[in-house]
Amino acid sequence: MSFKGKMLVFTAPSGAGKTTIVRHLLSEYEALDFSISATTRARRDYERHGRDYYFMSPEEFRYRAENDEFLEWEEVYEDQFYGTLKSEVDRLWSMGKHIVFDIDVRGATNIKRLYGDDCLAVFVKPPSVEVLIKRLRDRKTESDASFAKRVKRVKREMQYEHDFDKILVNDLLEVTLKEAEYLVEGFLNIKNE
Ligand code: ADP
Ligand code: 5GP
């Protein structure tokens, strides 16, 4: 039978620290790989197609959605679509990897529902909304309009923290990264060398 790995889903409001945590885990554990999502949003300068996202036009995204190519997809912000392609899961499992996701709270809920105990869903929680907004501002990646969209969504997303398997408070980064390692090791029953 072909390999079926486990799912590690990190979800949180934008700016909470998912990307930072996920990148760290990927650099620490060879058994893990990242689910590259498809999105219609504009690429940031430091992002690469096929590494951070599969960037695509709204037309291509819609075509693939109608063709049932997504495991899940959401309009995370108005007119900005994000989704996990089924082919991405197949690609990573065929490489023998456990899959790490960085997706919004609705997508995370859907993946958890699909995979049950084979999925660990972690909500990354900032120490406060104010700290999150400061981090997002300091990241300097968003236009004023995009920044406003993200901040508007924060409070709603924060209400979902209890819907997931674990809450990871991201205050002191060093501590958070260690805690994230323990979560991964416990769930996959592996140890970092
Ligand atoms: P997300 O992927 O959830 O939107 P990021 O990982 O991009 O969040 O983090 C948002 C910003 O906050 C980034 O500039 C990142 O370097 C910074 N950051 C993340 N975690 C911490 C932390 N514990 N303390 C201070 N800054 C942090
Ligand atoms: P960003 O534009 O900051 O990269 O991501 C915005 C939001 O979209 C984040 O909450 C991120 O987790 C979420 N997201 C990224 N990829 C996916 C995906 O494939 N599916 C869903 N549902 N959300 C995603």
Side-chain angles (χ1 to χ4, degrees):
M1 204 183 79
S2 60
F3 174 81
K4 268 196 166 184
K6 298 206 174 189
M7 314 300 219
L8 285 145
V9 176
F10 288 85
T11 190
S14 185
K18 291 179 304 284
T19 310
T20 308
I21 294 163
V22 163
R23 285 215 179 125
H24 171 77
L25 293 174
L26 292 167
S27 73
E28 290 290 314
Y29 301 97
E30 242 181 76
L32 305 180
D33 211 337
F34 181 58
S35 168
I36 303 167
S37 297
T39 185
T40 62
R41 85 143 159 75
R43 190 175 61 80
R44 296 174 189 145
D45 282 348
Y46 59 85
E47 290 177 328
R48 282 219 318 264
H49 178 80
R51 184 192 68 182
D52 301 285
Y53 279 107
Y54 300 117
F55 294 97
M56 56 180 71
S57 65
E59 291 73 30
E60 181 179 354
F61 197 99
R62 195 173 319 117
Y63 172 81
R64 288 179 184 273
E66 281 166 8
N67 213 22
D68 199 24
E69 292 182 33
F70 287 105
L71 191 61
E72 61 79 36
W73 66 267
E74 298 290 339
E75 184 176 6
V76 177
Y77 304 108
E78 201 185 341
D79 290 330
Q80 282 182 9
F81 296 84
Y82 297 78
T84 307
L85 288 160
K86 292 175 182 170
S87 58
E88 184 62 6
V89 172
D90 295 341
R91 181 179 76 82
L92 297 171
W93 277 349
S94 74
M95 290 161 57
K97 301 287 188 175
H98 301 295
I99 306 181
V100 181
F101 296 81
D102 169 346
I103 58 180
D104 87 316
V105 289
R106 284 177 304 184
T109 306
N110 287 333
I111 299 277
K112 178 68 191 174
R113 204 180 49 227
L114 286 171
Y115 293 97
D117 289 346
D118 288 327
C119 171
L120 180 74
V122 180
F123 185 90
V124 179
K125 185 178 174 179
S128 67
V129 173
E130 291 70 30
V131 169
L132 176 141
I133 290 172
K134 181 177 182 316
R135 285 181 189 165
L136 200 52
R137 185 172 290 123
D138 290 350
R139 196 173 72 184
K140 294 194 174 84
T141 50
E142 307 307 314
S143 64
D144 287 352
S146 169
F147 180 79
K149 274 188 197 173
R150 279 153 205 271
V151 169
K152 194 172 148 204
R153 220 182 133 91
V154 169
K155 287 206 173 120
R156 180 147 50 95
E157 291 190 324
M158 294 284 280
Q159 293 168 3
Y160 293 96
E161 63 179 80
H162 296 296
D163 291 1
F164 299 100
D165 298 316
K166 301 277 177 192
I167 297 174
L168 179 60
V169 178
N170 182 18
D171 191 354
L172 258 183
L173 186 58
E174 243 176 272
V175 176
T176 307
L177 298 181
K178 268 283 157 231
E179 282 173 1
E181 289 179 20
Y182 294 140
L183 285 178
V184 169
E185 292 181 9
F187 182 59
L188 297 179
N189 205 10
I190 55 173
K191 191 85 194 98
N192 202 3
E193 298 309 319

